[in-house]
Amino acid sequence: MLSNEEVTADGRSERGNFPVFRRPLTQWMMRITAYADRLIDDLDRLDWTESLKQMQRNWIGRSTGARIGFSVGDETVEVFTTRPDTLFGATYMVLAPEHPLVDALTADAWPDGTDPRWTGGAATPAEAVSAYQRQASRRSELDRQTEGRDKTGVWLGVTAVNPVNGRELPVFIADYVLTGYGTGAIMAVPGEDTRDWEFSEVFDLPVVRTVQPPADFDGGAYTGAGPMINSSNEEISLDGLDKATAIATITEWLIEHGHGEATTTYKLRDWLFSRQRYWGEPFPIVYDENGLPVAVPESMLPVLLPEVDDYSPKTFDDDDADSAPEPPLSRATEWTTVELDLGDGPKKYRRETNTMPNWAGSCWYYLRYLDPSDDEQMVDPELERYWLGPREDGDVGGVDLYVGGVEHAVLHLLYARFWHKVLHDLGYVSSEEPFRRLVNQGYISAFAYTDERGFYVPAAEVVEKDGRFFFEGNPVNREYGKIGKSLKNMVTPDEMIGAYGADTFRVYEMSTGPLEQSRPWETKAVVGSQRLLQRIWRVVIDEQTGAVRATDVEPDEDTLRVLHRTIAGVRDGVTTLRFNIAIARITELTNHLTSVYGAETPVPRSVAEPLVLLVAPLAPHIAEEMWARLGHDESSAWHPFPVADERWLVDDTVEVAVQVNGKVRAQVSVPADADTAALEAAARADERIAGYLDGATVRRVVAVPGRLVNFVLG
RNA sequence: GCGGGAGUGGUGUAACGGCAGCCACGCCAGACUUAGGAUCUGGUGCCUUCGGGCGUGGGGGUUCGAGUCCCCCCUCCCGCACCA
């Protein structure tokens, strides 16, 4: 049993990639749809990436439009449309094959002269309908994709009446109308809808344009903007109006005449919350002798899982679409049958045997982290306010920074927002959102290689020669993709930690690029990070003796400048989550120290200690070891992180570029605080620049202190 | 099709609108070594007549100045996809 969000585009399970079948069952659902508007609207108040917000918006799929009733015989069929303005262009109507009114509407016989394309070759409408329904139900999501989008359908043998102009509209069923969205029925407007146009081509249905296409338009359906045409009856005319005005006008008319109403629909479905697994929170629900559910009272909570011999869920063949799912708990009969006094005396009850999905825990664990040992309440409200509460009016609150993969976009990240809002509404939390700021880390991917037959070969055994790649002497093609067994490009953290250590592994992963970016793993490049850590070690510790090399000598000014620039750079890199920048700055400092203080010269302690502290968040193990050897009893984590001294961030003199017409022609050295006049004077004094300016008209001089001088010649 | 993101050396990447390529991998050379897949030093965008010229996917624009801002196009990646 899975929720919609857990089913992939190919109709398989997100975890395990098993085939998924649809079956009607009675299950517990969460009314997430009641929160659809707030889940969309509050996205604007979150510090999340635009793409992730957009994924949630699309998944919730809010559309505003109108519900319109069409009479078909004695029945009224409601359709949903986002384009009520095109109502005059409706020329037929389509119901989903599973629409509940289909049987009631279907005519007894085809009228004389029925187009053979409309009957599906059946003798009667009822036969055509049942044959088509059977065919549609067999078509899985995957089939629909692979079979393309050729429009199919059959006529019910009846017509509906367009309320706005009395036009008779033939009523079809077709699988391009989905039963789960809107009302499961549409008014078809081939003139302004691409899918309706395609259907009208197959079934030879009339087209009435109601939006004037541009003069040079020669396509089918016109979905762009333009003035309304062909849209009037005795009471109302939309002709000449723009889309927004036309929608407002016709909607008002429909309401006035009782033909419809303005409405909003969502793609989001309610959330199926029952699973047939042992390992999950049991529902605090029992069923009485009439089979009606009763909530277990708070005094009897929590309901704990029973000890069982067999935890495994019942397994089925991959192609077994008919078996009923069977929860493992249903076999624990001594647990499922209980006698409880729920207020009206002891009675026998049967426990709910489904369990909750993993999301039940991930939806609130971050709240529990605030108050993990509290056995009275989920979280102390004061602690929640302190850590997650809103900081000013309109602030949604939530966790300061949440780092996670984008694969949770419409799963965990949507579910947790929903739960959090429910908890907020119930008064348990002051924050309106669980995660104030969200950063998606990129995937680490890797190169993979295929031989000439197209089979993947073990990436670790491929060798490069002159820019080409070989496996066992044979040339192979290089591809790029997710790390995994199927591409034979697996690299496990354990292997890397075994070969290089956990610190090197961390530093390498952080140094290859920005956190948010996906980037390739390259095992041969890991040595770079290992060399860096080894160089840092040798700066602080004598490799031969293990003694500390740092002494109380004074660093030279140059070293102080590099140190403080490094501190500023690392702070910047760490706070902006660009760890690659922090590591580059640390590398610069290390390279500087290696070249200035060779193997023999003692390194100033006042430089070595900040270096170790800067390294500590990135490579904690080696940093702690160095910190201890430097004579500290406590972890470096308790020591304040270094702060850059402004004094050493500015140079006395700076090199500025001198440009002539935007091209760099010279470098001049000037005092760091030289003003524009001094800059220009220094630039003019340069021999080369003087040569360029000689005899030329200087039209303009742009001097930016500390940066450059640009002479614009006329 | 719709939505989101990205194109910079051989590679991963870096650059408040101000000297394109920090740092690293790789490669080249040298030093030290019995040895090197160790360490250290130097070099490494392309072209060059050695003056310099050209370079951030392509084309235009704004600006004294554009990888960065604006417009058009191309390519790639990700998400959704018959959602009325």
Side-chain angles (χ1 to χ4, degrees):
Chain A
M1 197 73 40
L2 300 168
S3 65
N4 285 342
E5 290 85 355
E6 292 171 305
V7 180
T8 65
D10 331 327
R12 299 179 83 88
S13 65
E14 192 255 343
R15 285 292 151 95
N17 203 35
F18 297 110
V20 174
F21 302 99
R22 288 170 190 276
R23 287 185 56 71
L25 290 167
T26 305
Q27 301 278 289
W28 291 101
M29 310 282 283
M30 290 278 185
R31 271 199 76 203
I32 192 170
T33 51
Y35 281 74
D37 277 321
R38 281 163 69 193
L39 288 171
I40 284 194
D41 294 340
D42 286 349
L43 285 172
D44 295 336
R45 303 161 69 196
L46 291 174
D47 183 8
W48 290 17
T49 60
E50 192 50 38
S51 70
L52 204 114
K53 290 183 186 183
Q54 205 55 46
M55 281 165 75
Q56 291 209 346
R57 285 192 199 105
N58 290 343
W59 186 262
I60 297 167
R62 177 166 63 190
S63 313
T64 55
R67 217 180 272 268
I68 305 175
F70 287 72
S71 304
V72 186
D74 300 335
E75 301 281 355
T76 298
V77 177
E78 291 221 303
V79 306
F80 170 74
T81 177
T82 57
R83 296 292 304 273
D85 55 314
T86 63
L87 180 56
F88 283 92
T91 57
Y92 63 102
M93 190 171 182
V94 186
L95 310 191
E98 306 86 355
H99 193 285
L101 286 177
V102 169
D103 288 345
L105 297 179
T106 306
D108 295 333
W110 302 117
D112 286 342
T114 297
D115 188 324
R117 285 172 292 190
W118 291 19
T119 66
T124 65
E127 280 175 34
V129 165
S130 68
Y132 189 77
Q133 285 175 328
R134 230 177 306 124
Q135 177 200 324
S137 70
R138 264 204 307 269
R139 257 167 47 122
S140 69
E141 305 282 322
L142 186 59
D143 293 339
R144 287 194 182 194
Q145 276 194 332
T146 50
E147 283 175 21
R149 292 174 182 189
D150 294 340
K151 294 290 181 286
T152 58
V154 292
W155 184 37
L156 298 186
V158 294
T159 56
V161 178
N162 188 338
V164 81
N165 58 8
R167 185 180 179 124
E168 301 259 323
L169 311 178
V171 180
F172 290 81
I173 56 172
D175 65 3
Y176 83 93
V177 173
L178 308 176
T179 187
Y181 182 76
T183 62
I186 62 156
M187 64 177 205
V189 186
E192 278 86 38
D193 183 284
T194 315
R195 296 147 303 178
D196 296 345
W197 174 277
E198 287 164 7
F199 191 87
S200 74
E201 296 256 275
V202 176
F203 291 86
D204 195 21
L205 290 153
V207 176
V208 176
R209 288 198 187 278
T210 58
V211 177
Q212 179 65 58
D216 57 351
F217 181 76
D218 62 351
Y222 176 67
T223 55
M228 302 299 298
I229 53 170
N230 301 326
S231 296
S232 63
N233 61 23
E234 278 143 27
E235 296 176 26
I236 184 178
S237 173
L238 306 178
D239 291 341
L241 299 181
D242 63 31
K243 179 173 156 184
T245 318
I247 289 175
T249 309
I250 190 68
T251 304
E252 199 179 316
W253 185 90
L254 286 166
I255 294 167
E256 213 170 281
H257 291 74
H259 292 306
E261 57 184 357
T263 186
T264 304
T265 65
Y266 304 87
K267 283 194 252 182
L268 183 70
R269 307 283 76 160
D270 275 328
W271 177 17
L272 181 85
F273 210 64
S274 297
R275 297 292 183 278
Q276 292 67 50
R277 292 196 280 253
Y278 174 82
W279 292 112
E281 296 83 341
F283 286 88
I285 296 285
V286 291
Y287 295 90
D288 65 17
E289 68 270 16
N290 301 317
L292 293 174
V294 184
V296 176
E298 203 167 327
S299 62
M300 298 181 189
L301 297 181
V303 177
L304 297 174
L305 286 169
E307 298 278 343
V308 295
D309 298 328
D310 181 13
Y311 303 109
S312 57
K314 180 155 183 177
T315 55
F316 300 97
D317 288 340
D318 271 7
D319 57 353
D320 182 349
D322 300 319
S323 314
E326 184 183 288
L329 287 181
S330 64
R331 296 193 291 267
T333 43
E334 69 283 7
W335 179 80
T336 58
T337 320
V338 281
E339 192 173 89
L340 300 172
D341 184 350
L342 300 182
D344 48 359
K347 281 188 178 175
K348 287 228 160 147
Y349 295 92
R350 184 172 47 82
R351 289 192 188 276
E352 167 69 56
T353 55
N354 287 294
T355 54
M356 300 185 200
N358 51 324
W359 316 111
S362 64
C363 277
W364 67 291
Y365 78 96
Y366 56 92
L367 289 167
R368 191 61 185 165
Y369 278 7
L370 306 178
D371 197 6
S373 54
D374 197 326
D375 54 11
E376 291 298 314
Q377 53 193 348
M378 169 180 76
V379 58
D380 182 338
E382 206 169 308
L383 287 172
E384 189 276 333
R385 253 197 315 280
Y386 176 81
W387 290 105
L388 306 184
R391 291 179 190 149
E392 70 267 328
D393 272 358
D395 181 17
V396 289
V399 172
D400 291 313
L401 172 64
Y402 202 50
V403 178
V406 71
E407 69 273 14
H408 289 124
V410 294
L411 294 163
H412 169 56
L413 292 172
L414 186 65
Y415 297 150
R417 291 184 64 217
F418 163 52
W419 274 47
H420 202 93
K421 287 182 180 304
V422 172
L423 291 171
H424 176 81
D425 290 354
L426 294 174
Y428 291 112
V429 295
S430 65
S431 42
E432 290 179 67
E433 286 280 342
F435 315 119
R436 178 195 303 276
R437 179 180 172 211
L438 179 84
V439 172
N440 290 130
Q441 85 277 23
Y443 293 117
I444 302 294
S445 46
F447 291 113
Y449 303 87
T450 50
D451 60 22
E452 56 271 272
R453 295 168 306 164
F455 290 115
Y456 286 99
V457 301
E461 292 164 44
V462 171
V463 292
E464 182 181 354
K465 215 166 126 191
D466 303 328
R468 296 174 52 205
F469 301 94
F470 299 89
F471 172 66
E472 293 177 343
N474 300 313
V476 288
N477 285 320
R478 189 164 79 163
E479 297 176 11
Y480 178 70
K482 275 190 183 170
I483 291 182
K485 262 186 254 171
S486 60
L487 302 191
K488 294 194 181 174
N489 59 355
M490 197 78 120
V491 181
T492 68
D494 285 355
E495 277 171 62
M496 289 301 125
I497 290 169
Y500 299 98
D503 282 331
T504 298
F505 182 63
R506 287 168 62 111
V507 169
Y508 170 72
E509 281 208 311
M510 289 187 279
S511 68
T512 53
L515 179 69
E516 304 89 325
Q517 195 166 309
S518 287
R519 45 203 196 270
W521 178 272
E522 203 179 357
T523 300
K524 72 173 182 189
V526 177
V527 292
S529 301
Q530 190 175 38
R531 285 175 195 155
L532 170 64
L533 293 179
Q534 288 171 343
R535 275 208 305 281
I536 294 171
W537 177 265
R538 283 193 299 270
V539 163
V540 180
I541 310 289
D542 185 298
E543 214 172 15
Q544 299 305 314
T545 66
V548 172
R549 286 184 60 204
T551 63
D552 290 329
V553 295
E554 279 302 307
D556 60 89
E557 292 197 355
D558 203 23
T559 298
L560 282 172
R561 284 206 183 82
V562 178
L563 171 66
H564 288 276
R565 262 205 305 275
T566 302
I567 294 171
V570 170
R571 275 190 172 266
D572 180 50
V574 169
T575 52
T576 58
L577 304 179
R578 294 181 306 162
F579 303 110
N580 53 323
I581 303 296
I583 292 166
R585 296 296 87 80
I586 287 173
T587 310
E588 282 169 348
L589 174 59
T590 307
N591 290 347
H592 174 86
L593 293 177
T594 326
S595 66
V596 173
Y597 304 92
E600 311 308 321
T601 323
V603 175
R605 174 175 280 267
S606 60
V607 178
E609 293 207 335
L611 170 62
V612 169
L613 291 170
L614 293 174
V615 168
L618 305 165
H621 308 91
I622 194 174
E624 282 303 316
E625 183 63 29
M626 290 188 288
W627 191 245
R629 292 198 189 200
L630 282 164
H632 299 277
D633 298 331
E634 271 194 331
S635 163
S636 67
W638 300 112
H639 196 279
F641 204 65
V643 180
D645 186 337
E646 290 293 327
R647 206 154 43 103
W648 297 108
L649 292 180
V650 289
D651 291 326
D652 296 341
T653 61
V654 288
E655 292 274 310
V656 298
V658 183
Q659 300 182 333
V660 177
N661 287 335
K663 292 215 181 292
V664 180
R665 298 300 182 185
Q667 299 281 336
V668 291
S669 190
V670 294
D673 56 357
D675 61 11
T676 54
L679 271 180
E680 183 181 339
R684 284 181 183 277
D686 184 87
E687 206 174 297
R688 276 169 50 96
I689 297 303
Y692 275 102
L693 300 188
D694 187 33
T697 313
V698 177
R699 202 151 50 86
R700 186 170 170 186
V701 181
V702 181
V704 182
R707 299 244 171 237
L708 54 56
V709 184
N710 187 13
F711 292 96
V712 185
L713 305 185

